[in-house]
Amino acid sequence: MIVNNELYGLGFTKPISLCIAVSIAAIPAVSNAKEMKASTSIAASTNQLNALIESALSQDSSRAQYTAQSLAMTESGAASATLMDPKLKVGFGGLPVDSFKFDEDPMTNISVGLMQQFERGSTLELNQRKASQQASGLSLQVSLREREVASQMTQLWLELGYLQYAESIIVENQRLMTEMEQFVTTNYSIGKSEAQDLLNTQLQVNKLEEKLQLNHQMQSRIVSQFSEWLGSNWLGSNRSLSASYSLSWPTLNTILSSHAGTAQYYNQLNQHPMAQMADSNISVNQIQVEVAEQAYTPQFGVEVMYAYRQANNMKGEPASDLVSAYLTMDIPLFTGNRQDKNLAAAQHQVGAAKYQKDTLLAQMNAQVNALMNDRINLQERIERYQERLLPQATARTQAVERGYQNSTAQFGDVITASSDELALQLEVARLTTDLNITNSKLAALLGGFEYTSPESPLTHSK
């Protein structure tokens, strides 16, 4: 809250003004008490948030979608590793056109045959491995979705906690300014204050009401955003949440401690779902190279036919039935424009997939280093506030209060000093919120969240 210099020298009587000064001086103590209470409930707030995240993940439809897609790819792989269905061949041959009788010419026969085509080399096995690897890549989408949901919900939780703390500061300022309005009104009625003093005080009260309304609006918006993951039923029964702008990060702190003094986080980033998906993509393309190499091996087919004859042979005896068997084989002799090109294309895809992963890791490592820079600076700024600015603001407030009691300072000076101290406390809360949001982003990259991942969701029954 900003208090104009026009509030200086409002002409309050000493006893009444002293009461207000004591009230103002008590606000930092109240704020400090609330801050201490918030710090002691960090673990409880973290557990509450983790419970919400786990509840959201257990009913997240996107996780169910990725799981279903992974199962579908697994089933497709099993289908692709199966030989083609055999072909049944039924017909007749050698039928005389002058009589169309089956027992007149010994060459006439009714035949039944089966044809079976075999894939080249190990193509079937490779296709199954490829589909299985693709299914593994899709299943990693579940882990990626979990980190995205956890990061988004954590950041909203921290913003909600900050807004709730800011609300308490606004309420305290509103209470103070309401009392000031009453005192200014009393002094104005006895001619000790000007009309502009009363109008300025009323304006400050109305501004605080507007800030409080905006704060409530932003809190309601954040709570409504939680319904994206927790559902509309949850929203109807959980309009009020007690959040915190600070959380505990034991797992993240352990990870960062193990990488102290280095700017390379590649070992940890390789465990990120996106990096693992890139590895899966490389494996898929490597298998595709092996599939392309199978095109240099011949493809075989087998055909067996049985021919039934009704006519007699030239000796007048029943003609013997016939059995035929064939082996077909295509030989890849001219490979320059087909097999060679397909193999070269598959090899280039492997190289492209590896470069893609290298680019991804470089981008993610740069993000981690940028976040680490923000984290260090935020910690230093918070330390400066706690060790220098806040103690100085408190000492200033106390000095102004003593000066006012000794008639060497104006009542407006007391208001300004107390308001500045409250503003600094709110700035510390903002920095703490930003620090925890930075931790949330780092946790999403390095795997530092504390929630327990629920079991993979089952697909809907058919």
Side-chain angles (χ1 to χ4, degrees), residues 89-97 99-103 105-113 305-310 322:
K89 184 178 180 180
V90 179
F92 58 87
L95 183 67
V97 296
S99 62
F100 291 100
K101 293 183 178 180
F102 286 90
D103 57 357
D105 192 318
M107 296 298 295
T108 304
N109 64 83
I110 300 174
S111 60
V112 178
M305 296 190 65
Y306 181 86
Y308 169 70
R309 296 194 293 180
Q310 297 181 2
L322 303 176

Side-chain angles (χ1 to χ4, degrees), residues 49-60 153 229-230 234 452 454:
L49 173 60
N50 289 334
L52 289 176
I53 293 175
E54 292 166 8
S55 175
L57 294 178
S58 65
Q59 56 184 329
D60 184 44
M153 292 185 67
W229 307 284
L230 299 171
W234 173 90
T452 301

Side-chain angles (χ1 to χ4, degrees), residues 186-400:
T186 302
N187 282 350
Y188 176 73
S189 63
I190 61 178
K192 290 187 177 182
S193 297
E194 301 293 335
Q196 63 181 13
D197 298 332
L198 177 60
L199 292 174
N200 286 334
T201 308
Q202 292 174 342
L203 178 61
Q204 294 299 324
V205 173
N206 291 329
K207 283 184 177 180
L208 288 173
E209 290 179 357
E210 171 60 24
K211 288 183 178 180
L212 189 61
Q213 177 65 33
L214 177 60
N215 183 285
H216 289 164
Q217 176 185 344
M218 296 175 68
Q219 288 190 46
S220 298
R221 178 186 299 173
I222 290 178
V223 173
S224 298
Q225 285 181 272
F226 276 109
S227 65
E228 176 184 349
W229 307 284
L230 299 171
S232 56
N233 293 333
W234 173 90
L235 181 62
S237 58
N238 292 272
R239 278 288 180 180
S240 59
L241 286 175
S242 179
S244 172
Y245 59 84
S246 183
L247 299 170
S248 59
W249 303 94
T251 302
L252 177 63
N253 291 332
T254 301
I255 294 173
L256 296 179
S257 298
S258 64
H259 291 80
T262 180
Q264 297 184 355
Y265 299 86
Y266 296 108
N267 291 335
Q268 193 68 30
L269 290 173
N270 272 316
Q271 302 177 23
H272 192 279
M274 290 185 66
Q276 293 178 343
M277 288 166 61
D279 286 332
S280 178
N281 187 38
I282 293 173
S283 298
V284 168
N285 284 284
Q286 289 174 337
I287 296 174
Q288 185 60 39
V289 171
E290 297 183 47
V291 172
E293 291 173 347
Q294 302 304 309
Y296 292 92
T297 61
Q299 185 176 22
F300 292 94
V302 175
E303 180 179 350
V304 178
M305 296 190 65
Y306 181 86
Y308 169 70
R309 296 194 293 180
Q310 297 181 2
N312 296 328
N313 58 20
M314 298 180 63
K315 297 180 179 181
E317 299 174 349
S320 175
D321 296 339
L322 303 176
V323 175
S324 301
Y326 303 93
L327 175 65
T328 61
M329 178 179 65
D330 67 339
I331 304 176
L333 295 178
F334 308 102
T335 61
N337 292 328
R338 186 176 181 181
Q339 286 88 343
D340 291 351
K341 300 299 182 183
N342 286 334
L343 178 60
Q347 291 171 339
H348 288 311
Q349 287 293 343
V350 172
K354 290 181 178 179
Y355 287 131
Q356 183 181 25
K357 183 189 176 183
D358 292 341
T359 301
L360 174 65
L361 287 177
Q363 292 174 344
M364 296 172 67
N365 191 69
Q367 292 176 12
V368 172
N369 281 289
L371 291 170
M372 286 298 299
N373 181 69
D374 292 342
R375 186 173 189 264
I376 293 173
N377 281 279
L378 286 169
Q379 289 175 333
E380 291 176 352
R381 293 176 64 189
I382 291 173
E383 184 178 357
R384 183 181 299 111
Y385 270 84
Q386 292 176 341
E387 294 183 358
R388 295 168 56 186
L389 296 178
L390 284 177
Q392 289 174 356
T394 302
R396 176 197 175 195
T397 302
Q398 294 172 352
V400 172

